[in-house]
């Protein structure tokens, strides 16, 4: 289990849909919401290097491809947001990934999607989850 720190909320509809986080060693994670449970939100997370994350943020990497082709072995995680804590609770193998967990093909992030062209470093939302 790895405790993660929320860095940026990239896509927000009622709750964070796509976010970036980091663990205690500074490893980046790109996380996409796939299920809202009664007591938590579940995200598919992938460890991602800074250059690849910047490629995604720059609209050059399809979100789905980030998950289907992770950079490192054992780099896919089930990430849970519960009681304002963000935790990578389990390593997932490629065969564990279901279609329900994956984003649709063809999603390329556009920086101007961030509200009011705010600086991305400050455009974060408090991660509030059901208690």
């Amino acid at each position: 289990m790895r405790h993660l720190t929320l860095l940026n909320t990239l896509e927000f509809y009622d709750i964070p849909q796509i976010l970036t986080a980091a663990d205690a060693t500074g490893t980046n994670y790109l996380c996409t919401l796939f299920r809202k449970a009664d007591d938590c939100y579940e995200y598919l997370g992938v460890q991602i290097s800074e250059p690849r994350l910047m490629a995604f943020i720059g609209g050059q990497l399809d979100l789905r491809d980030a998950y289907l082709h992770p950079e490192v072995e054992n780099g896919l995680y089930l990430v849970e947001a519960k009681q304002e804590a963000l935790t990578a609770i389990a390593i997932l193998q490629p065969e564990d990934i279901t279609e329900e967990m994956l984003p649709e093909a063809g999603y390329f992030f556009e920086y101007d999607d961030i509200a009011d062209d705010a600086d991305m470093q400050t455009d974060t939302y408090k991660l509030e989850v059901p208690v």
Side-chain angles (χ1 to χ4, degrees):
M1 187 170 356
R2 297 175 187 215
H3 297 287
L4 304 179
T5 300
L6 176 66
L7 298 177
N8 294 295
T9 301
L10 301 178
E11 194 77 44
F12 187 89
Y13 298 111
D14 296 328
I15 57 174
Q17 304 291 313
I18 302 172
L19 57 89
T20 62
D23 63 19
T25 64
T27 301
N28 291 315
Y29 294 76
L30 179 61
C31 304
T32 303
L33 180 72
F34 72 90
R35 183 179 13 226
K36 183 178 173 183
D38 290 336
D39 66 340
C40 70
Y41 301 130
E42 293 180 331
Y43 292 84
L44 178 59
V46 63
Q47 290 180 339
I48 191 165
S49 67
E50 192 75 22
R52 189 166 163 125
L53 179 58
M54 291 300 102
F56 171 71
I57 291 171
Q60 300 167 351
L61 176 65
D62 185 335
L63 181 59
R64 185 180 179 97
D65 285 343
Y67 295 106
L68 292 177
H69 307 288
E71 294 173 285
V72 296
E73 192 173 328
N74 296 323
L76 295 167
Y77 287 82
L78 173 61
V79 176
E80 184 177 85
K82 186 175 188 177
Q83 297 177 359
E84 295 186 20
L86 194 60
T87 309
I89 61 171
I91 294 175
L92 300 173
Q93 298 303 315
E95 59 270 13
D96 298 329
I97 307 300
T98 64
E99 191 62 34
E100 171 198 43
M101 298 167 83
L102 290 167
E104 290 185 24
Y107 179 90
F108 291 88
F109 183 74
E110 294 182 23
Y111 183 77
D112 58 338
D113 285 345
I114 295 176
D116 301 322
D117 293 324
D119 177 43
M120 188 173 3
Q121 293 299 321
T122 60
D123 187 45
T124 58
Y125 298 86
K126 187 174 180 183
L127 188 60
E128 297 178 2
V129 297
V131 185

